Amino acid sequence: MFEYDLLYAKQKYYEKRKQNDDKIVFHMPEDIIIFIGENNIPNHMDMKIVLPDEQEKDYEIPVMKCSQYSTQEMIQNKLYPLLPLQLFNFKEELLKLNKEKTENKDKIDDQMQKVMQSAKQTAEEIIKLQESGKINPEDMHILLLAISNLFKYLNSKYGNDTKLNEKVNIIIKTLYDSIVEERGIKIGEIRGIISTYIEFKLEDDEIINKLKSNLNIDDEKANKYLNNYYKENKK
């Protein structure tokens, strides 16, 4: 981390320096280390810098432990990009159960149900954030996909029930559909909508029907939007 901070300070110095500067001044950034799903770590990382004249300088970087923040606390602190990481709060327990996977199958299944419920609740909060204008549609799209992908990761590593992946996709897609139906959509946002449906493994005819229904457009325009998307993204 110190190496990164030093490189950052050096870069900023060269970006802002003036020709008549007679002293190099590095302004170290204010940063933080984020740990996911870990509790047995210190509240800050310390480093001691010893100068050639033996002067010592302590360099301390605070640590944030995501597992200590509830969903509402993250929202209150505007930590919106970290919301999908709520799913990792179940990882430690899943890791313990996975050591004796056969004997703990029922417990693992129960735990994955809790992860799925957390995915639903977190997705609902993200939808609310978009509805209130605290995040934009593109951010909502990214965060919802992150929830889906993180659930699939945990499920493949510990639960391995493919039906649960489909259930989570349906839950998130249903929430996504509802907000698309409720608001006017700009042309630029249609790309994000199509991309989301593709991520949720919808076939082309299903995507076209969704566009027709949600955007109140005819078959010709829906096909045009989809074809343009594929051209731009070189399917």
Side-chain angles (χ1 to χ4, degrees), residues 2-215:
F2 176 76
E3 183 179 5
Y4 166 81
D5 288 352
L6 189 60
L7 289 172
Y8 177 88
K10 179 181 177 182
Q11 178 183 348
K12 289 301 177 182
Y13 165 74
Y14 282 111
E15 287 177 359
K16 297 180 179 180
R17 69 173 178 171
K18 300 177 181 178
Q19 288 185 347
N20 59 349
D21 283 348
D22 58 357
K23 182 182 292 186
I24 297 175
V25 179
F26 283 179
H27 293 275
M28 303 296 278
E30 183 178 357
D31 49 19
I32 189 170
I33 299 174
I34 299 175
F35 279 90
I36 302 170
E38 295 186 46
N39 289 313
N40 299 323
I41 51 176
N43 293 323
H44 49 79
M45 295 293 182
D46 296 323
M47 178 178 180
K48 186 181 293 292
I49 302 171
V50 182
L51 301 176
D53 61 359
E54 298 303 319
Q55 290 187 63
E56 297 181 353
K57 176 66 177 178
D58 291 328
Y59 192 75
E60 180 181 293
I61 300 175
V63 167
M64 174 186 172
K65 306 171 189 177
C66 286
S67 59
Q68 295 183 352
Y69 285 75
S70 68
T71 299
Q72 290 305 318
E73 286 172 334
M74 283 189 172
I75 292 172
Q76 290 168 7
N77 288 280
K78 299 182 179 180
L79 301 172
Y80 309 140
L82 302 182
L83 283 170
L85 299 179
Q86 286 292 304
L87 274 63
F88 276 108
N89 290 343
F90 300 89
K91 185 178 178 181
E92 187 174 346
E93 182 63 23
L94 285 167
L95 190 60
K96 291 178 183 177
L97 294 172
N98 198 56
K99 291 178 179 178
E100 296 181 6
K101 193 168 186 176
T102 303
E103 294 82 351
N104 292 326
K105 184 181 183 306
D106 290 343
K107 292 181 180 179
I108 291 175
D109 290 343
D110 289 342
Q111 197 71 6
M112 287 308 303
Q113 289 292 329
K114 293 179 181 178
V115 180
M116 183 171 66
Q117 186 61 29
S118 176
K120 179 178 182 293
Q121 292 171 349
T122 306
E124 289 172 342
E125 293 299 332
I126 289 169
I127 295 291
K128 291 178 185 177
L129 288 172
Q130 200 286 317
E131 289 176 326
S132 63
K134 293 179 180 177
I135 61 174
N136 61 43
E138 290 76 17
D139 290 338
M140 176 189 70
H141 161 79
I142 292 170
L143 292 174
L144 291 178
L145 288 182
I147 291 174
S148 177
N149 290 331
L150 289 177
F151 181 87
K152 289 176 184 176
Y153 165 78
L154 290 173
N155 188 30
S156 64
K157 194 170 181 65
Y158 303 107
N160 203 25
D161 183 349
T162 55
K163 291 181 180 179
L164 287 183
N165 291 340
E166 183 60 26
K167 286 183 179 179
V168 169
N169 268 354
I170 291 172
I171 289 170
I172 296 177
K173 182 166 65 66
T174 301
L175 291 169
Y176 189 79
D177 284 347
S178 66
I179 195 168
V180 168
E181 291 172 358
E182 289 175 2
R183 63 184 178 85
I185 304 296
K186 297 178 181 178
I187 296 297
E189 296 174 14
I190 294 174
R191 299 186 188 92
I193 294 171
I194 294 173
S195 175
T196 300
Y197 287 140
I198 290 173
E199 290 284 346
F200 289 143
K201 310 299 182 184
L202 268 67
E203 298 294 335
D204 285 359
D205 57 343
E206 294 177 293
I207 295 174
I208 288 171
N209 287 332
K210 288 285 186 184
L211 292 174
K212 288 166 59 179
S213 173
N214 293 341
L215 305 181

